[in-house]
């Protein structure tokens, strides 16, 4: 009898958790299944690069997980029944269910239009690969002098605006931010940001809350119209509705509430990680939706599951931040050093060196996903007999 661990979602969090579980547990004792809607890994942190015409390295999961002991399945998750302990899935063969003893929920997030009128019809998003590809096509069709407005002054907005302006210096690029430009950064980081925006000729509309998007312009709360042949919407991420439809305890936004081991506070056999989870980090503050949070959450969940199954020691590594790594096109960047709870300190790395550093961070994150079982010491312990359970027989996909 094997303990069945089903990991849903193979973004940074889910893929890393599945690989780590395989390193921690004996193959004959656990069956680890990783389910993802797409057959290859999407490097979300590079989707602004994809949107501006750059080529991303293909990363097929089938190759990554071959020989690791993780069974990878391409299927769309349609629902989770946390009482029957099943995951509803649909694939090329039709609909079915996967039974689990332990579930790792890592379905990530998509764009967040925040209900602003006109976004669905007129705005472009870069939170998903199809969204980034749509924007790529649209940008390629723009003539010199046409206007692009990036809405959102967070990390994704800053990266998108600079990437577009660098790749297409012939376009008139603007950024609309609810606050001041990079107002959470240190004076050094903020100063450098302004310098790069100036150099790239990006118009910045500060304290401009966009309240409507129409073909050809966006409108702000104070009634201003900003011309926009293309509007790129980057104001945060929204989680998929699947968790909210279950009896799991979720926040008002649908994130699964977890404890320090990433275990659901309402259902002990469910773990949630990455953007899909609401976890508290250093300073008693919720972790922000990011790859920087998702990776340590995945380690924490995998090590906690392994510890609980084998009677080992639970991990107690604090979930904390070290820096915010912001690319500003391919040649510039800001690495803002932060406190454990993500507040900027005065030190920041800027310029070309920061761009190289950010590139290494992105490469490192993708490497961690692409080599799920490499570079990690194997610490396999035996699953304690009483914990190896078998659930009810459930129809499995062919
Ligand atoms: C342009 C951009 C730049 C970013 N830059 C940074 C950065 O520099 N640093 C940083 O820390 N973060 C950055 N982020 C945020 C970061 O990408 C996300 O926080 C991170 O990807 C979350 O990881 P995850 O594993 O939780 O979810 P995801 O990466 O979203 O992965 C979720 C996976 O689940 C799959 N899935 C979803 N629904 C289903 C379903 N129903 N059935 C089956 N599979 C499903 C998806 O296909 C996907 O593979 C950036 C995001 C964007 C869009």
């Amino acid at each position: 009898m094997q303990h069945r661990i089903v990991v849903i979602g193979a973004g940074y969090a889910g893929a890393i958790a599945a690989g780590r579980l395989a390193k921690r547990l004996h193959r004959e004792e656990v069956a680890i299944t990783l389910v993802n809607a797409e057959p290859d890994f999407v490097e979300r942190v590079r989707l602004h690069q994809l949107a501006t015409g750059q080529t991303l390295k293909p990363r097929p999961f089938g190759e990554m997980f071959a020989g690791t002991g993780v069974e990878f399945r391409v299927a769309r998750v349609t629902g989770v029944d946390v009482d029957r302990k099943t995951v509803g899935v649909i694939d090329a063969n039709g609909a079915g269910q996967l039974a689990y003893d332990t579930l790792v929920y890592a379905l990530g997030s998509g764009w967040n239009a925040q209900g602003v009128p006109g976004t669905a019809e007129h705005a472009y998003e870069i939170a998903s690969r199809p969204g980034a590809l749509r924007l790529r096509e649209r940008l390629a069709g723009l003539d010199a002098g046409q206007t692009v407005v990036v809405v959102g002054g967070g990390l994704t907005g800053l990266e998108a605006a600079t990437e577009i302006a660098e790749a297409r210096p012939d376009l008139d690029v603007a950024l609309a931010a609810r606050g001041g430009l990079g107002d959470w950064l240190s004076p050094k980081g903020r100063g450098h940001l302004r310098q790069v925006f100036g150099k790239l000729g990006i118009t910045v509309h500060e304290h401009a809350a966009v309240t409507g998007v129409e073909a050809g312009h966006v409108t702000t709360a104070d009634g201003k119209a900003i011309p926009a042949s293309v509007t790129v919407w980057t104001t945060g991420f929204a989680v998929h509705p699947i968790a909210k439809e279950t009896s799991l305890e979720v926040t008002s936004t649908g994130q699964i509430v977890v404890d320090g081991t990433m275990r659901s506070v309402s259902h002990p056999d469910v773990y949630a990680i990455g953007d899909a989870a609401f976890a508290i980090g250093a300073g008693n503050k919720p972790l922000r939706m990011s790859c920087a949070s998702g990776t340590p959450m995945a380690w924490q969940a995998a090590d906690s599951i392994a510890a609980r199954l084998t009677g080992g020691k639970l991990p107690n590594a604090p979930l904390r931040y070290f820096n915010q790594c912001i690319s500003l096109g391919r040649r510039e960047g800001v690495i803002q050093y932060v406190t454990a709870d993500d507040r900027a300190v005065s030190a920041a790395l800027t310029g070309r060196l920061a761009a190289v550093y950010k590139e290494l961070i992105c490469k490192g994150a993708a490497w961690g996903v692409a080599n799920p079982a490499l570079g990690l010491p194997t610490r396999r312990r035996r699953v304690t007999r009483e914990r190896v359970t078998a659930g009810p027989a459930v129809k499995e996909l062919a």
Side-chain angles (χ1 to χ4, degrees):
M1 266 190 302
Q2 286 177 306
H3 185 92
R4 296 158 304 178
I5 303 176
V6 174
V7 182
I8 53 174
Y12 293 94
I16 288 172
R20 194 161 174 116
L21 281 163
K23 270 271 180 175
R24 294 283 185 247
L25 296 162
H26 282 273
R27 286 185 197 179
E28 65 276 16
E29 294 179 333
V30 290
I32 304 168
T33 307
L34 176 62
V35 183
N36 198 62
E38 299 186 66
D40 53 347
F41 177 61
V42 174
E43 271 186 276
R44 270 183 84 190
V45 303
R46 290 193 192 272
L47 287 180
H48 52 301
Q49 296 177 236
L50 185 68
T52 51
Q54 295 167 50
T55 306
L56 303 189
K57 191 173 169 187
R59 299 181 184 277
F61 284 119
E63 284 174 22
M64 291 180 198
F65 283 98
T68 62
V70 175
E71 188 201 350
F72 176 72
R73 298 177 84 144
V74 182
R76 175 160 293 280
V77 172
T78 52
V80 175
D81 186 332
V82 287
D83 302 313
R84 290 186 62 228
K85 295 210 217 175
T86 57
V87 175
V89 286
I90 187 154
D91 70 3
N93 300 316
Q97 290 184 328
L98 293 172
Y100 66 82
D101 299 305
T102 299
L103 176 70
V104 181
Y105 187 109
L107 292 183
S109 64
W111 70 311
N112 189 351
Q114 296 180 330
V116 172
T119 42
E121 300 85 344
H122 304 298
Y124 288 77
E125 54 101 358
I126 53 167
S128 70
R129 180 161 55 187
L133 288 172
R134 231 181 108 235
L135 176 60
R136 178 187 174 110
E137 204 180 313
R138 179 75 180 110
L139 289 176
L142 289 184
D143 294 325
Q146 285 196 277
T147 48
V148 177
V149 173
V150 176
V151 181
L155 299 174
T156 310
L158 300 181
E159 293 198 331
T162 47
E163 199 78 41
I164 295 169
E166 185 187 84
R168 290 292 305 272
D170 58 322
L171 297 177
D172 188 352
V173 179
L175 178 95
R178 195 183 280 274
L181 183 68
D183 56 6
W184 71 92
L185 298 171
S186 64
K188 183 179 178 191
R190 217 162 43 227
H192 191 73
L193 194 63
R194 281 199 185 275
Q195 206 184 314
V196 174
F197 267 64
K199 225 166 51 186
L200 291 171
I202 302 169
T203 308
V204 182
H205 301 274
E206 293 175 287
H207 310 289
V210 172
T211 50
V213 182
E214 287 171 48
H217 70 274
V218 300
T219 45
T220 60
D222 56 6
K224 203 159 100 184
I226 305 172
S229 310
V230 172
T231 300
V232 184
W233 197 266
T234 70
T235 64
F237 304 130
V239 298
H240 303 292
I242 289 177
K244 220 174 180 170
E245 289 157 4
T246 68
S247 54
L248 284 164
E249 184 170 330
V250 296
T251 62
S252 58
T253 56
Q255 281 180 305
I256 299 171
V257 183
V258 294
D259 65 15
T261 67
M262 305 298 114
R263 181 153 82 162
S264 154
V265 295
S266 60
H267 291 71
D269 37 29
V270 177
Y271 289 72
I273 51 176
D275 288 359
F278 179 85
I280 298 295
N284 220 16
K285 277 167 60 179
L287 297 178
R288 72 182 145 91
M289 288 182 174
S290 63
C291 184
S293 315
T295 301
M297 287 164 102
W299 296 336
Q300 192 91 329
D303 290 354
S304 301
I305 293 167
R308 287 198 170 101
L309 286 177
T310 59
K313 215 168 140 224
L314 281 174
N316 60 1
L319 293 172
R320 58 151 302 161
Y321 296 100
F322 296 94
N323 50 37
Q324 293 179 6
C325 303
I326 314 167
S327 68
L328 301 172
R330 293 301 88 205
R331 295 186 285 273
E332 277 287 357
V334 172
I335 307 299
Q336 176 61 62
Y337 298 103
V338 297
T339 56
D341 63 348
D342 212 23
R343 285 172 293 123
V345 298
S346 58
L349 186 68
T350 57
R352 175 88 189 132
L353 202 56
V356 171
Y357 187 102
K358 173 69 196 267
E359 178 58 25
L360 288 175
I361 292 288
C362 292
K363 280 202 169 112
W367 190 91
V369 172
N371 299 279
L374 274 180
L376 181 73
T378 306
R379 280 192 225 111
R380 289 205 176 101
R381 293 165 59 107
R382 291 282 163 200
V383 171
T384 52
R385 186 165 288 282
E386 64 273 20
R387 290 181 193 269
V388 182
T389 57
V394 174
K395 183 195 162 211
E396 296 267 337
L397 284 178

